[in-house]
Amino acid sequence: MGSTRILCIDGGGVRGIIPTILLQRLTSEPGLEDWLTSVEFVAGTSTGGLMALMIGAGLDLQTIRDLYEQRASKVFADSLLDDIKDVGKVIGADYDIANLRREAHDVFEERTLGQLEKRVLVTSFDLDNEATENRSWKPKIFHNFEGPDSDGAQLAYNVATYTCAAPTYFDSADGYIDGGVFAPNPTMCALAQSQDPRNLPADRAALDEIRLIAFGTGHSSNYLEGDSLDWGYVQWVRPLISLILEGTNGIADFQCRQILGADHYFRFAPTFPPDKSIDQDSVDEIPYMIDFAEHLDITAAATWLKTNW
């Protein structure tokens, strides 16, 4: 199994339905019916990590779409009692991580990463490495490449839970939280993994052999007016989180473009209309996102696949 054809998917909660529909539309294009089947390596963060695991497990796109449409409300199930107990999100997460873990287990059962049909990489963040020296938190990359650091024995439903455990939305899971805190766009993680010298020779890919296509989950237009913002903690705390995440997302795109070039790398990252913003748990916006994804222009992505894939 190689790693020259790579698919990457960003984080974004229920917005994962957008790349799912885009993948459906692209596989319906004449001449592209089998392009997704030829993907050898799928990487994802948060909802993109969940999608990577589902694609790696061989689930078809309609099944994945149905899961978003039918089960998202179960994952993001809330109650007035919980809101009162947590004072909203002030002193507790919005949703019970058990909901997410249960739904993930229903999908993957006891399947391990090593039992998946494709190579996968899923990002998460370890809050405590429990080391006797240099105890700290650190990024965690789960993958099923063979080698000394393989996570092939990990249960897929656990990894799905870890990568989706977004702070404030869910409590942490076994000491892990959402990989979006460091890699909302996992493309550079995937590219680095493809070059790991510890990989078996069959899993190592020369840069000029790689074709990498990446999908965002919908981006809201954000900006801050003013040439000199004399702000402190109170003013910066809200925009700073989005600013850091979007900056991290953008730098991964820049790095891949510079390293791979336009013939080897393509990113499809749609932007919502200026007046539209959709949170990770906006289940009520699923009908809008379906319509949004079904009407996006996929010409450039289809042309790139036909020309370069």
Side-chain angles (χ1 to χ4, degrees), residues 212-233:
L212 191 160
I213 187 166
F215 290 85
T217 59
H219 170 263
S220 300
S221 298
N222 293 312
Y223 59 90
L224 296 173
E225 291 187 86
D227 295 330
S228 179
L229 300 176
D230 183 16
W231 286 4
Y233 289 115

Side-chain angles (χ1 to χ4, degrees), residues 30 41 55 73-74 87 105 151 157 170 182 222 226 303 305:
F41 175 22
I55 292 170
S73 60
K74 297 179 181 179
V87 193
H105 186 268
D151 299 293
Y157 82 88
F170 297 104
F182 74 94
N222 293 312
T303 300
L305 285 168

Side-chain angles (χ1 to χ4, degrees), residues 218-249:
H219 170 263
S220 300
S221 298
N222 293 312
Y223 59 90
L224 296 173
E225 291 187 86
D227 295 330
S228 179
L229 300 176
D230 183 16
W231 286 4
Y233 289 115
V234 173
Q235 297 101 323
W236 272 116
V237 65
R238 185 180 180 89
L240 192 59
I241 295 173
S242 295
L243 188 153
I244 291 172
L245 290 176
E246 291 182 19
T248 304
N249 191 315

Side-chain angles (χ1 to χ4, degrees), residues 7 33 264:
L7 168 64
E33 294 86 354
H264 295 254

Side-chain angles (χ1 to χ4, degrees), residues 206-217:
L207 286 175
D208 62 358
E209 296 176 338
I210 287 175
R211 301 295 185 273
L212 191 160
I213 187 166
F215 290 85
T217 59

Side-chain angles (χ1 to χ4, degrees), residues 174-295:
D174 301 333
Y176 293 101
I177 59 172
D178 193 318
V181 300
F182 74 94
N185 171 352
T187 49
M188 271 304 296
C189 294
L191 185 58
Q193 181 62 46
S194 76
Q195 302 301 298
D196 191 334
R198 295 171 297 180
N199 292 345
L200 295 178
D203 281 331
R204 288 201 294 271
L207 286 175
D208 62 358
E209 296 176 338
I210 287 175
R211 301 295 185 273
L212 191 160
I213 187 166
F215 290 85
T217 59
H219 170 263
S220 300
S221 298
N222 293 312
Y223 59 90
L224 296 173
E225 291 187 86
D227 295 330
S228 179
L229 300 176
D230 183 16
W231 286 4
Y233 289 115
V234 173
Q235 297 101 323
W236 272 116
V237 65
R238 185 180 180 89
L240 192 59
I241 295 173
S242 295
L243 188 153
I244 291 172
L245 290 176
E246 291 182 19
T248 304
N249 191 315
I251 197 61
D253 177 46
F254 169 80
Q255 291 165 331
C256 282
R257 288 183 188 279
Q258 296 300 103
I259 293 171
L260 294 176
D263 292 342
H264 295 254
Y265 171 74
F266 185 87
R267 178 166 172 80
F268 194 155
T271 300
F272 295 124
D275 61 342
K276 196 69 175 180
S277 179
I278 299 177
D279 292 330
Q280 294 190 39
D281 60 345
S282 296
V283 176
D284 58 332
E285 294 280 14
I286 286 177
Y288 171 84
M289 289 185 282
I290 291 171
D291 182 71
F292 174 77
E294 288 180 341
H295 288 89

Side-chain angles (χ1 to χ4, degrees), residues 4 13-14 27 40 57 79 107 139 163 169 213-214 224-225 246 256 284 293:
T4 62
V14 294
T27 55
E40 299 156 323
S79 68
V107 171
T163 192
Y169 290 96
I213 187 166
L224 296 173
E225 291 187 86
E246 291 182 19
C256 282
D284 58 332

